[in-house]
């Protein structure tokens, strides 16, 4: 009986610790080597949230070597201050009343390095301002390879091919490097269109 009471006290202590963590959710997330397929919503979701009448919006996330494939909405749907390295988004989105399905959907101040978006229902990369998309690939989308709110993003050294509307939007200016053919590229930061 004494052993049962000691174990019960330990379980109660762990439950109390868990509840305390729920009151103060983690505001940063590291996700590595995870594959999400065939979800009926977004593959990965990291946004601001409200718990016990308190809004948490500092949700910086770090995704490394993850994959989102065949999900009904966006492959990755995140808000701001996120880092993506070696991630893929393939064949996400459905054509319904509201068409969803960007490979990577994000708002501001995110960085993408060596990521691949292919054959998603909308754009490969869809975002706001202050983002960096560097050395990534986007192909086979019904909209753009990269679609960002303004030219106040760094979109450089990417491979953008077979995207229905255009390789990139808005047109190259300021932080968005020009799209050039690899055989005749003159700008070392050029996005390559094949």
């Amino acid at each position: 009986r004494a052993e049962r009471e000691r174990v019960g006290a330990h379980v109660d202590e762990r439950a109390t610790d868990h509840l305390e963590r729920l009151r103060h959710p983690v505001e940063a997330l590291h996700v590595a080597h995870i594959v999400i397929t065939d979800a009926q919503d977004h593959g990965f979701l990291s946004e601001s949230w409200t718990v016990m009448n308190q809004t948490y919006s500092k949700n910086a996330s770090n995704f490394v070597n993850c994959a989102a494939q065949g999900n009904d909405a966006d492959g990755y749907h995140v808000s701001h201050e996120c880092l993506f390295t070696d991630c893929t988004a393939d064949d996400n989105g459905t054509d319904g009343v509201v068409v969803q399905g960007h490979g990577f959907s994000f708002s501001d101040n995110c960085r993408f390095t060596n990521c691949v978006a292919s054959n998603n229902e909308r754009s490969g990369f869809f975002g706001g301002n202050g983002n960096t998309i560097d050395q990534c690939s986007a192909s086979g989308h019904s909209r753009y390879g990269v679609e960002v709110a303004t030219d106040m993003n760094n979109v450089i050294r990417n491979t953008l091919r077979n995207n229905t509307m255009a390789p990139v939007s808005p047109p190259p200016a300021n932080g968005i490097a020009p799209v050039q053919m690899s055989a005749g590229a003159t700008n070392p930061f050029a996005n390559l269109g094949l």
Side-chain angles (χ1 to χ4, degrees):
R1 179 180 171 153
E3 177 65 19
R4 200 173 13 192
E5 288 175 3
R6 187 180 65 75
V7 171
H10 181 67
V11 171
D12 288 343
E13 182 180 309
R14 287 191 306 175
T16 301
D17 288 346
H18 181 69
L19 288 173
E20 185 62 27
R21 275 188 247 124
L22 287 176
R23 287 190 191 99
H24 304 285
V26 175
E27 294 182 358
L29 177 66
H30 177 79
V31 180
H33 310 288
I34 302 293
V35 176
I36 296 183
T37 61
D38 302 318
Q40 293 180 343
D41 201 345
H42 305 298
F44 292 88
L45 175 65
S46 175
E47 291 188 313
S48 302
W49 67 95
T50 302
V51 175
M52 300 177 88
N53 296 322
Q54 185 169 354
T55 299
Y56 295 86
S57 59
K58 296 178 182 175
N59 59 332
S61 300
N62 181 10
F63 294 89
V64 178
N65 198 19
C66 292
Q69 183 176 32
N71 300 294
D72 287 352
D74 299 325
Y76 299 82
H77 188 91
V78 300
S79 48
H80 48 80
E81 282 117 24
C82 294
L83 176 63
F84 289 84
T85 307
D86 299 320
C87 293
T88 61
D90 177 55
D91 196 30
N92 294 290
T94 58
D95 190 5
V97 177
V98 176
V99 177
Q100 297 184 18
H102 300 289
F104 298 88
S105 179
F106 49 97
S107 57
D108 301 325
N109 305 317
C110 293
R111 181 172 180 80
F112 298 84
T113 306
N114 296 324
C115 293
V116 176
S118 58
N119 304 310
N120 295 290
E121 187 66 37
R122 304 283 284 178
S123 293
F125 297 85
F126 178 78
N129 290 302
N131 301 293
T132 297
I133 303 169
D134 184 14
Q135 299 179 54
C136 295
S137 173
S139 62
H141 299 98
S142 65
R143 290 183 55 85
Y144 302 94
V146 175
E147 182 178 3
V148 288
T150 69
D151 60 4
M152 295 293 143
N153 292 276
N154 288 313
V155 180
I156 57 174
R157 303 184 299 179
N158 299 296
T159 301
L160 310 170
R161 65 177 195 269
N162 298 328
N163 297 292
T164 303
M165 295 181 83
V168 65
S169 176
N174 295 327
I176 300 177
V179 178
Q180 298 180 339
M181 298 301 288
S182 58
T186 57
N187 184 326
F189 296 102
N191 293 298
L192 302 178
L194 303 174

